[in-house]
């Protein structure tokens, strides 16, 4: 809606600017008093065509700006699909690390898996991926998906008590909302 208003405003600005230029040109054109009705008709047609040309130019300028903006946005979020498909892999790495026992053999294995996970997360962070911090924060439906509501004496109503699945942001856009339990 805002883009349409912006385009219409730009269109009107371009038309007004071109009309003032046209008025300057029209002052130079002097129509004699003995001009035929046909000449007046032709001048009206010329005026109509000029107006169409001005509107077409303004439409093209708006189209060019909109296309450039869309292209920039596409480049900014080009990796979103790939990262979305990789998030379950990160979740599985974290689940694997949480189930490893405390034996020395398992500890060295866990350390290797943890190093791979950190490297993987580092690559995703360079692409603009950040994990949401949710526990203790107020519930926001734009960033969180409430799975359960629990009674809690430790937290006020509407505060996130537990995170069931991490949420992620890609630059400034929600890539995956966090699944959370909210105090009731």
């Amino acid at each position: 809606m805002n883009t349409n208003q912006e385009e219409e405003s730009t269109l009107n600005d371009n038309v007004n600017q071109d009309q003032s230029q046209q008025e300057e040109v029209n002052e130079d054109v002097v129509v004699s008093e003995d001009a035929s009705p046909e000449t007046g008709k032709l001048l009206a047609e010329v005026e109509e065509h000029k107006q169409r040309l001005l509107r077409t130019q303004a439409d093209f300028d708006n189209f060019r700006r909109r296309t450039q903006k869309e292209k920039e946005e596409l480049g900014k979020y080009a990796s979103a699909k790939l990262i979305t498909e990789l998030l379950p892999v990160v979740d599985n790495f974290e689940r694997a690390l949480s189930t490893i026992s405390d034996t020395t053999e398992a500890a060295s294995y866990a350390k290797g898996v943890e190093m791979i996970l950190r490297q993987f997360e580092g690559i995703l962070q360079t692409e603009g991926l950040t994990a949401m911090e949710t526990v203790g924060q107020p519930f926001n439906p734009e960033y969180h998906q409430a799975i359960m509501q629990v009674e809690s004496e430790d937290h006020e109503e509407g505060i996130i008590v537990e995170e069931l699945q991490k949420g992620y942001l890609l630059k400034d856009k929600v890539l995956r909302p966090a699944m959370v339990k909210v105090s009731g």
Side-chain angles (χ1 to χ4, degrees):
M1 179 74 181
N2 193 15
T3 306
N4 290 340
Q5 291 173 345
E6 197 174 278
E7 290 174 3
E8 188 174 315
S9 173
T10 304
L11 173 68
N12 290 335
D13 291 344
N14 289 345
V15 168
N16 291 337
Q17 181 183 9
D18 290 337
Q19 282 177 344
S20 63
Q21 290 173 352
Q22 177 187 345
E23 288 171 2
E24 292 173 8
V25 171
N26 286 345
E27 289 173 1
D28 296 339
V29 176
V30 177
V31 179
S32 66
E33 291 181 17
D34 60 338
S36 68
E38 193 172 302
T39 304
K41 184 178 177 183
L42 290 175
L43 287 175
E45 270 186 52
V46 167
E47 178 66 27
E48 181 183 335
H49 288 296
K50 283 183 181 178
Q51 290 299 318
R52 283 186 184 175
L53 174 66
L54 295 176
R55 291 206 178 272
T56 303
Q57 285 175 335
D59 286 342
F60 180 73
D61 288 342
N62 291 336
F63 171 75
R64 186 176 36 81
R65 285 188 203 105
R66 186 175 55 245
T67 304
Q68 181 66 27
K69 185 178 178 182
E70 288 172 359
K71 194 182 296 184
E72 289 171 2
E73 192 168 311
L74 179 64
K76 186 176 180 181
Y77 296 108
S79 59
K81 185 174 188 270
L82 175 64
I83 291 174
T84 302
E85 292 175 6
L86 292 174
L87 288 179
V89 176
V90 172
D91 293 338
N92 288 335
F93 267 119
E94 290 174 349
R95 284 186 201 106
L97 287 172
S98 68
T99 61
I100 295 177
S101 64
D102 290 335
T103 64
T104 56
E105 187 177 300
S108 62
Y109 175 73
K111 187 174 181 176
V113 171
E114 187 175 341
M115 289 172 61
I116 294 169
L117 175 61
R118 298 299 161 234
Q119 182 182 16
F120 193 53
E121 286 176 337
I123 292 168
L124 294 175
Q125 286 176 354
T126 59
E127 286 294 317
L129 185 73
T130 54
M132 293 182 198
E133 295 296 324
T134 58
V135 176
Q137 301 292 321
F139 176 75
N140 182 345
E142 293 178 11
Y143 295 98
H144 311 119
Q145 182 178 358
I147 302 299
M148 300 173 112
Q149 187 171 4
V150 295
E151 295 299 322
S152 174
E153 295 177 9
D154 298 337
H155 297 88
E156 295 177 20
E157 186 175 330
I159 302 296
I160 297 172
V161 177
E162 184 180 346
E163 180 180 66
L164 302 173
Q165 184 181 42
K166 276 188 177 179
Y168 291 94
L169 296 169
L170 180 61
K171 297 181 172 91
D172 56 348
K173 184 177 175 183
V174 175
L175 194 61
R176 180 175 82 182
M179 288 190 206
V180 295
K181 288 184 183 179
V182 181
S183 62

